[in-house]
Amino acid sequence: MSRPSTPNELRKAWQDFFVSKGHTAYASASLVPANDPTLLFTGAGMNQFKDMFLGKGSHSFKRASTVQKCVRAGDIDNVGKTLRHFTFFEMLGNFSFDDYFKKEAIAWAWEFITTVLELPPEKVTVTIYKDDEESFGEWKKHGIPEARIHRFSAKSNYWPQNAPEDGPNGPCGPCTEMYYDFGPGTEKGDAGPDDLDSGRYLEFWNLVFPGYDRRGKNDLRSLGRRNVDTGAGFERMLAVMDGNNAPFHTAAMRPIVEAAAHALRTNYGGAGGNDALVRRVADHVRTATMCVADGIRPSNEGRGYVLRRILRRAIRDGIGAFRLQEAFLHEIVPSVVATMKDAYPDLVAGEREVIAAVRAEEEQFRATYAKGIRYFEDALPKFKTSGRVPGDVAFKLHDTYGFPIDLLTQIAEEEHRLTVDRPGFEVELEAQRERARAGSKMAGDVFATGPLGDIKAKGAKPTKFLGYDGTGCEGRGTVVGIIQGPTSVASASAGDDVSVVLDQSPFYAEGGGQVGDAGVIEGAGASGPVRVRIETTKGQDGLSLHVGKVESGTLTVGQAVDAKVDRARRDAVRRNHTATHLLHEALKRVLGNHVRQQGSLVADDRLRFDFAHGKPMTAEELRRIEDSINGWVLDNADLDTKSMKTDEAKASGAVALFGENYGDDVRVVSVPHVSRELCGGTHVRRIGDIGTFRVTSESSVASGVRRIEAVTGLGAIAAANADRDRLREISQLLKAPSDQIVSRITAIQDEMRDVRKQQERAASEAGAKLGERLATQATTMGGLRVLVAEVRGQDGKAVKALWEGLAKAGVEAAFLVGESGDKAPTLCGALASAVKRGVDSGALLKVAAAVLGGGGGGRPDLAQGSGLDRTKIPAALEAVTQAIGKVLGG
Ligand code: SER
């Protein structure tokens, strides 16, 4: 193996080395953690193997190595300021799942750096967890002197950092880290060799031994497993290989930094002193590119909001420090693609999509940024002396002008040396949420906390859902609460609008995109039968609210009732819900793995599915989607639904939807060999129940987000019938059988084109004739034939044809006023001979417009316009005649 020197060579050397040590080279996971909705981003190589460390994973191998894409926003304030902090980076990792342990991990790490990378051993310093004698002994065996083996507490030598005290729960353990000594003369080079935080040293590889499962504060349970999780910073490793303590200046990052400088219209390393900002922008664009490529879009929530914050910080650097008036960030994207494409080839196809998403975000933010800054600066005198931006100002900037709070903090600190009243901001934010809740209360929303709180106080437990069993449409329950308007009541009678809470019910409460069920609730009331018609069912705090109207009798809290879901409607919903899962899978197969669900609606009459994808789908792609789904429908497999513990479900590889908060128990809905999703909705029993699937529309909902609407079962048949009816109607109108419609329409279009051409020809002939006649009225001015005239009944187009006729008849300059309703279309034309003499049609037309009102303009040889005041026509003719006279001296 020759010594690697480029980023690609390092990636390859890493994988080759660990494969030679019995590892499976495994691909980087997406930045969006696949089975862990609790995590915003993949931030370490071990994330995708979390279950393997706990002994619950499903991989057959016991050793793996990866080059993993990572996003960590925690260090964002240092990014750019130093040469080694990033929000995106790659992590080289090797892992043992209850297989090899400290001895091998340390030996291979040592072998890799000393024999593959050929680093001088004396430059390496290590740290160990304070009482990890085993690691201590291993390092010594490789010849590291004791003075270069430092012991630290869990605060620095545990992973996650200080896990026993601070968490999170899950796999954790002591670690040993490797540092490279760049020697005095770097950054803070005079720091002594004991100060590992100085610029002299760079931590580049962390070897973790996650042998514990943390369950709570200082509650570590031994897993009894020999686990290894190592992570080497890719850019840091390159810096070590370069012998220069500057990960930002390695080949993995330098081209992006240069591109950022170019886009910022500055020089990197020049005299401007802006290098830290250039680095920050470069980092942020790299992060954004990698995020968008993995299906993340800027938004106001979750990881989308992190991406938005990162982008807005970079945009603001461009506006603030570099005074760029136009969107610039997207110009940096191609350098990221070029630098990363060998390792992540999907970037090439996604480049345009990334550019569009980055640009859209910048344009959107720029639209309000200037106003926000003005608002901030206007308010500045009020709080300058206190040194603190008040919470209400921060909130207004956040809410009205789209300044994320950390961006405002940055602006306040960096430009004005002010702090931000963060608690005050939080209070305002909470008040806004409160107002939103109150707003929905005034709108008559039954979810107002009041009545529901009463019902819960009386002991109502979360409604048990009976809808998965049997037909799923019938069940018996007891009324535990009735809400009428803003209060909870003991009974309700015919005509009352109510929301009924039952202890258990087959009615599905709106959620996960699926609409709530409708139907009836019936019972034997004290004074006769009761019947409540339910329009929909909504959920709040685990209680299902059956929203409807009492049709007859009196419904009383405590009474037993039969709840009957409208079965035809439910069945239609089921078909659409299962079809949504199939659609998700078909889209991935046809368009690629970047397709990610962004939202969905499952109703009885249609389904809607929003997903990340950068361009409109072609008719051919849509047809393939339909064909795949209808193929699965015809296969008619049994749908499999299982209820299991969330952890188990994820371990089985089920797709968890992001932003969904799953409880401890989940349902896993699987279509054999097709899809497997965590889902609480109601589904068909066999895939054939869907009947048939048909896309009704494909459109854009936001930049980079497409929407498909589709129908199934009877809905699909109805859509097909509607299409057929339309076709029949068209065929009747065209008086042609439907298979001849296309040729008939083409023939009509040809005919129309001919007619239009004929008309134009006729008009120009008429114009020419009229022109010839009018030409006789032309006078001679300064030796040129000139006509200034009003021509009644000729609109703008006709006036143009007229001028062409006049020109043919030898008139060299003309000013014409036509007639179009109460407007006066004007034209001024001049042949080359007249233009040469100084006649300027555009200027003459302006002379006319000054008299007539209205406007117009054009070139010296031809100008057209429209005047407003027809009574001024004689005056206009006079003015133009004089103007021409002046030019021609006639
Ligand atoms: N998980 C550890 C880290 O992130 C080592 O891979 O540092």
Side-chain angles (χ1 to χ4, degrees):
M1 227 180 289
S2 68
R3 183 180 186 270
S5 63
T6 67
N8 281 334
E9 284 168 12
L10 175 59
R11 290 188 188 100
K12 181 164 185 316
W14 180 270
Q15 292 290 36
D16 288 350
F17 178 81
F18 283 102
V19 167
S20 81
K21 306 292 181 199
H23 292 64
T24 297
Y26 206 68
S28 171
S30 165
L31 285 172
V32 179
N35 285 326
D36 200 342
T38 62
L39 211 57
L40 279 183
F41 292 97
T42 296
M46 60 78 68
N47 288 167
Q48 66 171 327
F49 299 120
K50 199 161 130 189
D51 288 339
M52 292 293 287
F53 289 123
L54 297 171
K56 296 193 280 192
S58 51
H59 295 304
S60 55
F61 48 75
K62 299 193 114 204
R63 299 175 183 187
S65 62
T66 57
V67 180
Q68 175 64 50
K69 304 179 260 190
C70 298
V71 165
R72 286 186 190 175
D75 275 335
I76 195 163
D77 286 330
N78 280 326
V79 172
K81 287 183 187 159
T82 74
L83 290 163
R84 65 176 188 279
H85 288 97
F86 300 101
T87 54
F88 171 93
F89 61 96
E90 291 173 85
M91 187 184 280
L92 305 167
N94 61 286
F95 311 94
S96 155
F97 312 117
D98 196 22
D99 189 33
Y100 64 84
F101 205 41
K102 297 181 181 177
K103 176 167 166 251
E104 296 84 349
I106 289 174
W108 291 335
W110 189 250
E111 183 183 339
F112 185 78
I113 62 166
T114 55
T115 66
V116 180
L117 302 189
E118 299 172 13
L119 299 183
E122 69 280 6
K123 297 271 192 191
V124 179
T125 289
V126 302
T127 67
I128 58 169
Y129 180 56
K130 56 184 187 332
D131 50 16
D132 182 359
E133 300 310 332
E134 195 180 342
S135 296
F136 183 79
E138 293 301 329
W139 287 121
K140 260 183 70 176
K141 262 197 334 218
H142 295 291
I144 302 205
E146 288 186 19
R148 290 214 315 270
I149 307 176
H150 305 262
R151 293 174 188 261
F152 289 107
S153 70
K155 280 212 175 77
S156 55
N157 277 62
Y158 227 85
W159 202 87
Q161 204 177 8
N162 213 24
E165 284 273 330
D166 300 344
N169 287 348
C172 65
C175 62
T176 169
E177 303 163 319
M178 303 169 81
Y179 284 74
Y180 193 80
D181 179 1
F182 289 89
T186 48
E187 235 178 302
K188 289 185 273 164
D190 51 349
D194 287 336
D195 182 4
L196 294 179
D197 275 338
S198 79
R200 173 170 174 175
Y201 293 91
L202 182 67
E203 182 213 327
F204 65 96
W205 195 341
N206 186 12
L207 284 59
V208 187
F209 308 110
Y212 301 94
D213 181 15
R214 182 192 191 269
R215 299 285 179 87
K217 193 169 175 149
N218 290 320
D219 175 7
L220 302 190
R221 315 268 171 95
S222 170
L223 286 164
R225 296 172 64 82
R226 295 158 56 85
N227 289 331
V228 174
D229 153 30
T230 95
F234 178 63
E235 295 82 354
R236 291 181 176 212
M237 198 74 117
L238 287 166
V240 168
M241 288 157 61
D242 288 351
N244 182 10
N245 193 356
F248 256 102
H249 295 167
T250 62
M253 205 55 209
R254 185 78 195 209
I256 304 170
V257 172
E258 296 293 348
H262 190 256
L264 290 163
R265 320 285 188 258
T266 186
N267 283 323
Y268 186 68
N274 280 326
D275 288 357
L277 296 181
V278 175
R279 286 194 291 268
R280 174 152 80 192
V281 168
D283 166 85
H284 289 5
V285 174
R286 180 168 75 149
T287 303
T289 301
M290 300 308 287
C291 284
V292 173
D294 272 353
I296 305 166
R297 291 290 176 284
S299 75
N300 281 335
E301 272 160 17
R303 57 179 71 84
Y305 193 58
V306 176
L307 172 58
R308 168 159 287 169
R309 277 164 40 209
I310 288 176
L311 278 168
R312 293 193 170 185
R313 286 167 78 103
I315 296 164
R316 179 255 161 194
D317 281 338
I319 300 175
F322 298 92
R323 309 268 158 227
L324 297 184
Q325 307 295 323
E326 304 283 337
F328 71 99
L329 274 190
H330 61 280
E331 293 172 13
I332 306 165
V333 173
S335 71
V336 181
V337 174
T339 310
M340 312 283 282
K341 70 176 191 307
D342 292 335
Y344 308 99
D346 286 355
L347 284 174
V348 177
E351 177 168 342
R352 281 177 48 188
E353 185 173 340
V354 176
I355 290 177
V358 168
R359 188 173 192 153
E361 177 67 12
E362 178 158 8
E363 279 165 0
Q364 190 185 334
F365 183 46
R366 277 176 178 269
T368 53
Y369 179 83
K371 288 190 206 128
I373 287 291
R374 213 170 308 130
Y375 165 76
F376 178 71
E377 284 172 355
D378 286 350
L380 204 55
K382 283 192 230 137
F383 50 77
K384 193 109 207 198
T385 43
S386 75
R388 209 156 118 111
V389 182
D392 59 334
V393 172
F395 177 73
K396 172 114 185 189
L397 282 161
H398 159 90
D399 194 45
T400 311
Y401 302 108
F403 285 49
I405 186 70
D406 56 345
L407 175 65
L408 173 66
T409 309
Q410 189 190 327
I411 296 174
E413 278 169 8
E414 290 179 7
E415 287 178 19
H416 304 278
R417 294 184 193 291
L418 297 171
T419 58
V420 175
D421 176 8
R422 199 61 193 251
F425 168 77
E426 300 293 341
V427 167
E428 295 287 336
L429 204 60
E430 188 44 43
Q432 184 201 41
R433 288 191 193 120
E434 197 48 55
R435 280 194 299 277
R437 278 195 285 268
S440 64
K441 182 147 83 189
M442 281 181 312
D445 196 310
V446 293
F447 300 142
T449 45
L452 210 56
D454 290 348
I455 293 170
K456 280 201 286 193
K458 287 187 191 124
K461 297 269 172 315
T463 313
K464 181 165 184 249
F465 182 54
L466 306 173
Y468 296 133
D469 313 321
T471 65
C473 288
E474 295 192 358
R476 208 166 159 72
T478 303
V479 178
V480 295
I482 303 172
I483 298 172
Q484 216 186 328
T487 45
S488 92
V489 294
S491 65
S493 42
D496 289 345
D497 289 319
V498 289
S499 293
V500 184
V501 182
L502 304 178
D503 60 342
Q504 52 176 20
S505 164
F507 281 70
Y508 180 85
E510 182 183 306
Q514 179 176 331
V515 295
D517 275 328
V520 291
I521 289 177
E522 292 171 339
S527 51
V530 201
R531 189 178 160 91
V532 188
R533 175 147 306 279
I534 305 303
E535 276 153 30
T536 187
T537 311
K538 302 195 174 199
Q540 176 87 355
D541 299 346
L543 298 181
S544 296
L545 294 123
H546 303 73
V547 183
K549 197 186 215 47
V550 182
E551 284 187 340
S552 59
T554 301
L555 184 76
T556 319
V557 171
Q559 94 171 97
V561 288
D562 289 314
K564 300 178 182 165
V565 173
D566 175 340
R567 183 158 174 188
R569 184 173 179 278
R570 160 74 80 78
D571 285 346
V573 170
R574 282 183 212 282
R575 287 193 280 269
N576 285 335
H577 202 150
T578 309
T580 304
H581 288 208
L582 299 180
L583 175 58
H584 191 179
E585 184 58 30
L587 285 166
K588 281 192 172 164
R589 294 191 188 187
V590 171
L591 300 180
N593 255 328
H594 62 280
V595 167
R596 245 170 266 289
Q597 174 164 355
Q598 306 271 317
S600 73
L601 169 73
V602 177
D604 53 336
D605 59 344
R606 69 188 192 289
L607 66 93
R608 191 173 77 204
F609 190 81
D610 296 346
F611 58 101
H613 183 58
K615 48 179 184 281
M617 288 178 65
T618 63
E620 137 86 8
E621 285 166 341
L622 286 169
R623 171 55 57 88
R624 278 168 61 204
I625 297 285
E626 282 182 344
D627 288 350
S628 309
I629 295 174
N630 285 319
W632 292 325
V633 168
L634 290 176
D635 285 346
N636 197 20
D638 284 331
L639 185 103
D640 180 43
T641 49
K642 271 201 193 72
S643 182
M644 49 173 102
K645 296 275 166 225
T646 307
D647 289 348
E648 248 179 90
K650 286 184 203 155
S652 79
V655 174
L657 295 186
F658 316 119
E660 288 286 330
N661 205 355
Y662 298 100
D664 284 346
D665 295 295
V666 286
R667 288 172 66 78
V668 176
V669 176
S670 329
V671 182
H673 311 299
V674 178
S675 105
R676 177 184 281 249
E677 284 192 24
L678 303 192
C679 178
T682 57
H683 287 272
V684 298
R685 261 164 251 291
R686 302 176 68 179
I687 305 308
D689 296 347
I690 291 172
T692 175
F693 173 91
R694 192 179 175 94
V695 172
T696 50
S697 74
E698 193 272 345
S699 58
S700 157
V701 261
S703 85
V705 182
R706 309 296 305 176
R707 165 171 294 176
I708 282 188
E709 293 192 286
V711 285
T712 60
L714 294 173
I717 294 173
N721 285 344
D723 284 348
R724 190 178 55 195
D725 291 348
R726 239 190 315 274
L727 206 58
R728 192 177 293 144
E729 210 177 317
I730 295 171
S731 121
Q732 274 163 5
L733 283 171
L734 290 172
K735 300 199 181 25
S738 63
D739 60 349
Q740 287 169 27
I741 284 181
V742 175
S743 57
R744 184 81 191 95
I745 289 178
T746 319
I748 292 177
Q749 284 173 335
D750 289 348
E751 233 171 273
M752 277 171 58
R753 205 169 309 126
D754 288 348
V755 169
R756 213 175 297 126
K757 268 198 202 125
Q758 266 169 28
Q759 276 177 347
E760 277 164 15
R761 213 174 306 130
S764 106
E765 276 164 16
K769 263 196 210 113
L770 188 57
E772 261 167 49
R773 255 206 333 268
L774 268 179
T776 57
Q777 296 174 23
T779 54
T780 305
M781 290 172 86
L784 291 182
R785 290 190 67 203
V786 178
L787 178 69
V788 175
E790 181 185 2
V791 282
R792 286 274 165 96
Q794 308 288 317
D795 65 5
K797 254 197 175 147
V799 167
K800 175 100 185 295
L802 198 52
W803 159 238
E804 280 154 15
L806 285 169
K808 258 190 222 135
V811 173
E812 295 165 280
F815 172 70
L816 305 171
V817 184
E819 180 177 7
S820 176
D822 56 355
K823 300 263 163 52
T826 51
L827 176 140
C828 206
L831 297 186
S833 55
V835 173
K836 223 183 287 157
R837 294 278 303 276
V839 176
D840 179 346
S841 303
L844 290 173
L845 205 80
K846 291 223 166 70
V847 170
V851 182
L852 291 170
R859 306 175 310 244
D861 61 335
L862 184 70
Q864 280 192 279
S866 181
L868 297 175
D869 187 352
R870 294 191 55 83
T871 65
K872 299 273 169 60
I873 291 175
L877 296 175
E878 181 56 34
V880 173
T881 308
Q882 276 185 21
I884 298 177
K886 224 186 254 162
V887 175
L888 297 178

